[in-house]
Amino acid sequence: MTAKELQDVIFYIMDTAQSLNAFLEIYPPAAEAFHQKHFVTRVASFYEVLMPELEMAVKKLNWESQSLRNTVKKHLHLAKLGLAQTCITIISTCCIKPILESSSTDDSRHLDHIDDYLELIASLLSEKHFLTVFAMQCNIEDDIDLIIQSTDQIDETRTQFILDGIRAVRKSKRKQKMENSQGASSGSMVTGNAGNVVDHGAMVAAPEDYQTDAFLDEYGSAGVATNAPSGIQIDSFISSVKDLFPELGDGFIEACLEEYNFDSSKVINDILEDKLPPGLQELDRNLERSATPPPEEPDPAVETVLTKRANIYENDEFDVFTRDDVDTSRIHKGKKSGNRHSIQCPCRQI
C-alpha cells in the first residue's frame, strides 16, 4: 500500500466515524437499528484487526514530509476515538437508558436489559485494543455499580469478571503511559457514565469543520506528540542506541524512540530484555530511515518582518536583505581615511 492509499483509507474511516457520531446526535432513535445489527461487536472486531495494522503502516511508510505524517496520525487517532464514541452512544441509548427507565415492577424487562448490557460488555473483553480506547471514554465501573444497586437478581461472579477485565485494561494503559511519559494525554478524552450520555460536543464537529487544521490540532493532538525533538536531537538519540546495537537499522531505532517518547534509555533496556511491544517486535530490524525532505523555500507572497519594514535605508546600495551584490569596498569602520579638512563644519562659518 502506498502512502497516498493509506492516507485515503485513514481519512475515509475518520469521515465515517464522525458522520455516524453526528447522525446519532441528531437522531438518537437510530441507535436501536444499529444495536439490532450487532454494530458494537462488529466495530470492535473491525477495530481490533485493522487499527494496529494501520498504526504500524504509518510508522513504516516513507512520507513526503513530517507534517503530512503527523496529519495522518491525527486523523487515525480521531478515527479511533470516533468509532469508540459511536459504540458508547449506542450502548447508552439502547442499554443503559432502558435500565434506568424500566420500572421496578417489570422485573422481566429490567433483567433483560441488564443481561443485554452485560453480555455486550463481556463480548468486548477479548478485543483488547478497542477496549483500551472504549474504557478510557466510558466509566463502565459506574454503570455496573448502578446496575447492581437497581436489582438483587444479578450474577455477581459475572459482573466481577467484567470489572476485573476492565481494570486490567486500565492498569495496562496507565503502565504504558508511565513508560512513555504521556500521563496527560488521557485528559483530553471524553468521559461518561450511566446517568449522563456522553457529550458529543467535544468530539463531533460539523462536516465542514472536522477537516480543518484547527480541529485536528485541538482534538487530534492527544495521540500525537506536540513537543517532538528536533532532527539533530533525533540523530543523537539514534546514535546513542546504535552504539550498543550497531546491527539495527536507523528506521527501526527511530520507530522505537517514537513509541517510547524518545527515551533512549528505556529503548535500550527493553531491547536488551526483549520486551518491545508486539508492533515493534514485528517490525523489520534492518529498516532504514526515510529520506529527510529538503527545507521548504519561503513563500514570497507571505509577509515577514523584512517585507513589512519601512525605513530610509530600504533598498539602498548597502541593504543586504534585498541585494546580493553589496560593494564591500565602500564599507569602512570609523572615520574614512583621507583629507579630514575636505569637509568643513557649517558652524565655523557662523
Side-chain angles (χ1 to χ4, degrees), residues 238-274:
I238 293 176
S239 177
S240 64
V241 177
K242 205 169 181 66
D243 288 342
L244 292 176
F245 306 100
E247 71 280 2
L248 298 180
D250 289 358
F252 175 78
I253 296 176
E254 184 178 16
C256 294
L257 289 168
E258 289 180 356
E259 182 71 21
Y260 287 83
N261 200 30
F262 295 95
D263 190 332
S264 56
S265 60
K266 290 182 179 179
V267 171
I268 292 172
N269 182 72
D270 282 10
I271 291 178
L272 287 172
E273 298 182 3
D274 197 20

Side-chain angles (χ1 to χ4, degrees), residues 3 9 48 80 91 103 111 117 132 147 179 267 319 330 342:
V9 170
E48 196 73 12
K80 292 160 63 176
I91 293 175
S103 173
L111 293 177
Y117 172 78
T132 299
I147 290 174
E179 291 177 350
V267 171
D319 189 356
R330 293 172 53 81
S342 60

Side-chain angles (χ1 to χ4, degrees), residues 127-158:
E127 316 292 355
K128 300 297 183 183
H129 293 92
F130 175 78
L131 190 60
T132 299
V133 179
F134 182 89
M136 290 298 171
Q137 297 187 73
C138 179
N139 199 331
I140 302 175
E141 292 93 334
D142 285 354
D143 293 348
I144 293 181
D145 185 56
L146 287 175
I147 290 174
I148 293 175
Q149 294 177 24
S150 67
T151 181
D152 55 357
Q153 302 180 35
I154 190 170
D155 187 354
E156 295 184 1
T157 304
R158 187 181 185 185

